[in-house]
Amino acid sequence: MEEEMKKEVSEETVEETVEATENAEAAEPSEEKKDKKKAKADKKTDALKEKIEELEDRTKRQMAEFENFRKRTEKEKAQMFDMGAKNVIEKILPIVDNFERGINTLPEDQKDTPFADGMIKIYKQLTTELENLGVKPIEAKGTEFNPDFHNAVMQVESDELESGMVADELLKGYTYHDTVVRHSMVSVVQ
């Protein structure tokens, strides 16, 4: 009986050992499969992360490019507006000159007439609106000659002014937002 029990115990032990070995062998491939699946998932995740980074980078570049385009078009639009305004101002300045000439040639006895008064009011309104737009006359008479603002058309002699000074303004010059629209035509002391 003891032998039978030993035999049964040893058979059971062998069966349990075989079963445990089979289970262990069966478990090992599933862990390898898990590792392989995990490695594949990591590769996919890395690939997706790279794709996301690439798309984010592309999007950021396109947004920056669009922002640069927007700024450039705004700048061009402002330049075109200034150019158009400058062209209109250049065409209005001869009218201002004619008003000044007309007012300066009025005899003293006619300066109080309604016609002269109307011309002076229109002239003042025109110059006020030009100033509101940013158009300003260039100071010339009695200042030092500056080729950036003045155009010397003749030289004169003068005991009152030093050499290089503007003696007389023949045609008034104007600036528009600190850029010269028309240079002042001046006579300069030798």
Side-chain angles (χ1 to χ4, degrees):
M1 189 152 186
E2 264 185 49
E3 271 185 42
E4 273 184 34
M5 281 178 99
K6 281 183 185 177
K7 209 176 189 184
E8 279 181 28
V9 169
S10 63
E11 282 180 18
E12 284 178 16
T13 308
V14 170
E15 284 177 19
E16 286 175 4
T17 307
V18 168
E19 207 172 287
T21 306
E22 286 175 357
N23 286 342
E25 286 176 2
E28 281 180 23
S30 70
E31 281 187 28
E32 283 180 19
K33 287 180 184 178
K34 285 181 184 176
D35 288 343
K36 286 181 183 179
K37 284 182 182 179
K38 188 176 181 182
K40 280 184 181 180
D42 287 345
K43 284 182 184 179
K44 281 184 179 180
T45 304
D46 290 343
L48 290 173
K49 283 181 182 178
E50 284 180 28
K51 187 70 173 178
I52 289 170
E53 287 175 8
E54 179 186 325
L55 292 173
E56 284 178 346
D57 183 54
R58 189 183 309 167
T59 303
K60 286 177 185 176
R61 288 179 189 271
Q62 286 178 340
M63 289 176 69
E65 194 174 305
F66 178 73
E67 185 65 23
N68 290 338
F69 170 77
R70 189 185 61 75
K71 287 177 183 177
R72 187 173 54 249
T73 55
E74 286 292 322
K75 185 178 177 182
E76 288 173 358
K77 187 168 50 171
Q79 286 175 339
M80 289 178 73
F81 177 79
D82 283 345
M83 188 183 309
K86 196 173 178 181
N87 287 338
V88 170
I89 291 165
E90 286 174 351
K91 290 178 178 158
I92 291 175
L93 290 179
I95 298 168
V96 173
D97 295 337
N98 289 334
F99 267 108
E100 287 176 352
R101 285 186 199 109
I103 292 169
N104 290 336
T105 59
L106 283 173
E108 286 297 321
D109 61 334
Q110 291 184 4
K111 287 194 176 184
D112 293 333
T113 64
F115 176 75
D117 189 42
M119 279 187 53
I120 292 170
K121 286 182 180 179
I122 293 170
Y123 170 72
K124 285 182 181 178
Q125 183 182 11
L126 186 59
T127 55
T128 302
E129 288 304 317
L130 285 173
E131 283 180 22
N132 291 341
L133 291 171
V135 179
K136 296 178 183 162
I138 297 172
E139 293 293 322
K141 194 170 184 179
T143 63
E144 187 175 341
F145 175 75
N146 183 347
D148 294 332
F149 298 109
H150 306 129
N151 184 12
V153 291
M154 62 198 297
Q155 288 186 339
V156 295
E157 292 183 17
S158 173
D159 296 332
E160 298 170 7
L161 298 171
E162 297 176 13
S163 178
M165 300 296 285
V166 175
D168 195 21
E169 183 178 48
L170 305 172
L171 183 64
K172 193 181 282 187
Y174 292 90
T175 60
Y176 173 65
H177 295 293
D178 301 326
T179 59
V180 176
V181 175
R182 182 174 75 185
H183 291 80
S184 296
M185 289 190 179
V186 297
S187 60
V188 182
V189 178
Q190 290 181 340

